[in-house]
Amino acid sequence: MLAALKARFGERCSTALAVREQHGRDESSFEVPPPAAVVFAESTGDVADAVRLAAEHDTPVIPFGVGSSLEGHLLAVQGGISIDVSRMDKVLAINAEDLTVTVQPGVTRKRLNEEIKSTGLFFPIDPGADATLGGMAATRASGTNAVRYGTMRENVLALEVVTASGEVIRTGTRAKKSSAGYDLTRLFVGSEGTLGVITEVTVRLYPLPEAISAAICSFPSIEGAVRTTIEMMQIGVPIARVELIDRNAVRMVNKHSKLDLREQPMLLMEFHGSPAGVQEQAELVQELASGHGGEAFEWATTPEERTRLWTARHNAYFAGIQSRPGCRAISTDTCVPISRLADCLLDSVREADESGLPYFLVGHVGDGNFHFGYLLDPNDPQERETAERLNHALVSRALSLGGTCTGEHGVGLHKMDFLVTEAGAGAVEMMRTIKRALDPRNIMNPGKIFSI
C-alpha cells in the first residue's frame, strides 16, 4: 500500500513521524497511535485515487481538514492513512444572485467570508474554530449563529463525494428544494467521514444585515441568564446570537484575551436586522434580562468592538486549556428542548462544582445547546475518571429530558455508547446496514459513531 501511494503521490505522501503525529490527534483527550501515512490531496482525482488504492489493500482512510474536532473523529484507531484535503482550498463558484457558493473542502469559514465580502453576502455558520467547510459538513457543525441561521444540515445544498470504492458522485443541486429521490446530501452531512470523503460543498449564503449590534449582560447567577434566554426564545425574539459564558469562562477569557469583563455569568448577544428592528429587539431583551437580575448591559456597536468580544468567546476553549498548564480538556456538549434548559444545565453545574475539578461552561443557549470543558491532568487517572463521570451524568440527564447526546460536536469515539441509548438499538443497526452497503470493506474512518 505504501509503495503504491509513493508511486502515485511522490513527496505528497509522507511517512515522517512528525507529519503522522500531527494528523493523528485532534482536540480530544484520546491517545492513539498515528496513521501509517499522510496523503496531501490537491484535487478530487487525488482523493479518488487514494481511496481506490486503499480499497484494493483493505486500508482504512481518515479524512483530515484542520484537526479541530473534539470527539476523536480524526484518530487512526484501526490504523490506515490520513487524506489531508487542506490544499483543496479553492472557492469554485460564487452565485451571488442565487445566494449560493461552491467550494473545495479545505476552504475555511473565515477564508470564505473574506472571499465573498464584496458581494454583500456572508456565510453564517461559525463553530468557533476556523474549521474547513468539508469538516463542518462531515460533523454537521453549527455554532453561535445557529439560533438565527440554522446548522450545516440546513445550509448544505449539494456535495461532491468520493465513495468507499473511489467513485465520484454528486448529491443535490443549487436549487432551494427538491423531491428527487433519496436525500443523499443529508445522509453524508454528519456522517463523520464514515461513508465517503467530501470533495466539494455547495452552501447557502445570506445578505449582510443592514444593522448589527452586540451586547453583554451580567447576571448574579447562571439561573438568571438561563431564564432570560428561555423567555427570549419562547416569545420569539429573532436574535442572531445568544451565548452563555459562566464565571469560570469569563475569568479565563479575561486573562487570555486581556479583557476586563465583569467576572459573573453573562450573556453575549447579537442582533441583526434594520436599525429600528435591532433597537426594538435589544430593548425587549434588556427588559427581560432586568427581570432576572441582569445588570451592566453594555453595547458594542462598532465592528471592532464586536470582533473583540466574539473573538474572546471563540477562544474560550484555548483560554481554558491555558488556565491550567499541561492539562487536557474533555469537552462535551448536549442539546435539550429550550423548556428543559434550566433543569439540565443547573443540575450539571452543581455536580461540576461539587466535584472540585476545574471546568468552564459556554453555551449556544438559544438552541438549548451548551458545552462543559473539564480540565484534567492527563497523568491523573482519578481526574479522568471524575471528568468522565460528570460527562456521563450530563449526557444521561439531557437524554432523559428529551435531548441529544451531542448538539454539534458529533459522536466520534466519545459518544458511541450514548448513541445507542438515544437512538435505540434498532436505529443504530439501520445505520450499520447503510454503512455496510456503502462501505462493505469498512475502510472509511472505521471505529467512529458505532462499531462494526
Side-chain angles (χ1 to χ4, degrees):
M1 175 64 188
L2 291 176
L5 288 175
K6 287 285 189 182
R8 168 62 177 81
F9 293 100
E11 292 183 356
R12 289 192 290 123
C13 173
S14 176
T15 55
L17 180 60
V19 175
R20 293 190 293 116
E21 287 181 338
Q22 178 194 357
H23 290 75
R25 65 176 296 174
D26 54 13
E27 294 296 332
S28 72
S29 63
F30 295 105
E31 297 291 342
V32 175
V38 178
V39 172
F40 292 90
E42 296 179 352
S43 67
T44 298
D46 284 349
V47 176
D49 286 349
V51 172
R52 199 173 297 118
L53 288 172
E56 290 175 3
H57 293 85
D58 288 327
T59 299
V61 169
I62 306 105
F64 186 96
V66 293
S68 59
S69 65
L70 293 163
E71 302 289 0
H73 299 98
L74 308 177
L75 307 185
V77 292
Q78 296 183 22
I81 64 169
S82 175
I83 299 183
D84 186 321
V85 298
S86 62
R87 297 182 184 180
M88 296 175 64
D89 61 353
K90 294 183 177 63
V91 176
L92 299 173
I94 301 172
N95 300 103
E97 300 88 347
D98 297 321
L99 305 181
T100 68
V101 63
T102 300
V103 302
Q104 290 185 309
V107 173
T108 65
R109 64 175 184 87
K110 290 182 180 178
R111 161 88 188 289
L112 174 58
N113 277 319
E114 282 296 317
E115 290 275 342
I116 63 177
K117 187 164 55 176
S118 62
T119 67
L121 305 174
F122 81 118
F123 178 65
I125 312 303
D126 67 330
D130 191 19
T132 61
L133 271 289
M136 290 167 64
T139 56
R140 201 156 59 219
S142 55
T144 59
N145 276 316
V147 66
R148 175 76 173 264
Y149 299 98
T151 71
M152 289 298 282
R153 180 183 64 186
E154 292 81 32
N155 286 285
V156 175
L157 293 171
L159 296 170
E160 180 185 81
V161 179
V162 174
T163 70
S165 65
E167 180 184 3
V168 180
I169 65 166
R170 291 184 176 273
T171 74
T173 68
R174 291 196 299 109
K176 292 189 73 172
K177 60 182 181 180
S178 172
S179 297
Y182 292 171
D183 191 346
L184 296 181
T185 303
R186 299 284 86 71
L187 178 62
F188 283 102
V189 172
S191 62
E192 301 182 17
T194 62
L195 300 179
V197 183
I198 294 171
T199 52
E200 278 186 23
V201 190
T202 299
V203 295
R204 301 177 189 268
L205 300 177
Y206 295 82
L208 284 165
E210 182 183 357
I212 300 176
S213 182
I216 57 175
C217 182
S218 298
F219 293 81
S221 69
I222 285 181
E223 183 171 6
V226 172
R227 298 292 180 191
T228 298
T229 303
I230 292 173
E231 286 188 14
M232 196 189 312
M233 294 299 105
Q234 290 178 337
I235 67 173
V237 177
I239 195 166
R241 291 170 161 178
V242 53
E243 295 289 300
L244 172 67
I245 309 174
D246 81 331
R247 189 190 315 272
N248 297 333
V250 174
R251 185 182 68 252
M252 295 169 185
V253 163
N254 275 343
K255 185 175 181 180
H256 178 270
S257 299
K258 305 295 188 294
L259 298 176
D260 57 357
L261 302 172
R262 183 179 296 202
E263 292 190 0
Q264 289 182 312
M266 71 168 51
L267 291 179
L268 174 56
M269 298 165 282
E270 191 166 275
F271 307 92
H272 293 181
S274 66
V278 163
Q279 183 176 349
E280 182 181 0
Q281 294 172 42
E283 289 174 352
L284 177 55
V285 169
Q286 190 165 1
E287 182 180 343
L288 292 175
S290 64
H292 293 285
E295 54 189 2
F297 221 92
E298 298 178 22
W299 297 97
T301 54
T302 68
E304 294 77 17
E305 290 173 330
R306 293 197 306 271
T307 298
R308 181 167 165 263
L309 288 177
W310 286 110
T311 300
R313 162 59 186 92
H314 285 144
N315 288 338
Y317 175 82
F318 300 105
I321 293 291
Q322 290 184 8
S323 72
R324 190 181 184 189
C327 77
R328 295 299 297 273
I330 289 184
S331 180
T332 187
D333 81 307
T334 58
C335 187
V336 295
I338 193 68
S339 64
R340 309 312 301 271
L341 178 62
D343 300 329
C344 189
L345 199 153
L346 296 175
D347 283 346
S348 301
V349 167
R350 176 183 51 77
E351 287 181 345
D353 285 337
E354 292 173 353
S355 75
L357 191 69
Y359 76 93
F360 63 91
L361 165 66
V362 294
H364 316 312
V365 284
D367 296 319
N369 179 209
F370 58 92
H371 313 260
F372 276 84
Y374 304 114
L375 304 174
L376 58 97
D377 179 349
N379 300 314
D380 188 332
Q382 186 173 353
E383 288 197 357
R384 180 176 291 276
E385 182 182 343
T386 299
E388 292 293 358
R389 174 177 57 80
L390 291 169
N391 173 58
H392 189 278
L394 164 64
V395 176
S396 297
R397 182 176 297 111
L399 294 177
S400 72
L401 296 173
T404 177
C405 65
T406 174
E408 58 184 8
H409 289 177
V411 174
L413 292 175
H414 203 204
K415 297 287 182 67
M416 291 170 67
D417 292 340
F418 291 116
L419 180 64
V420 178
T421 305
E422 176 177 332
V428 173
E429 185 54 38
M430 183 173 288
M431 295 179 199
R432 288 193 181 98
T433 300
I434 294 170
K435 167 75 168 171
R436 292 187 188 104
L438 300 185
D439 180 18
R441 296 177 181 270
N442 191 28
I443 65 168
M444 302 306 301
N445 207 10
K448 315 298 167 53
I449 304 183
F450 43 73
S451 60
I452 294 289

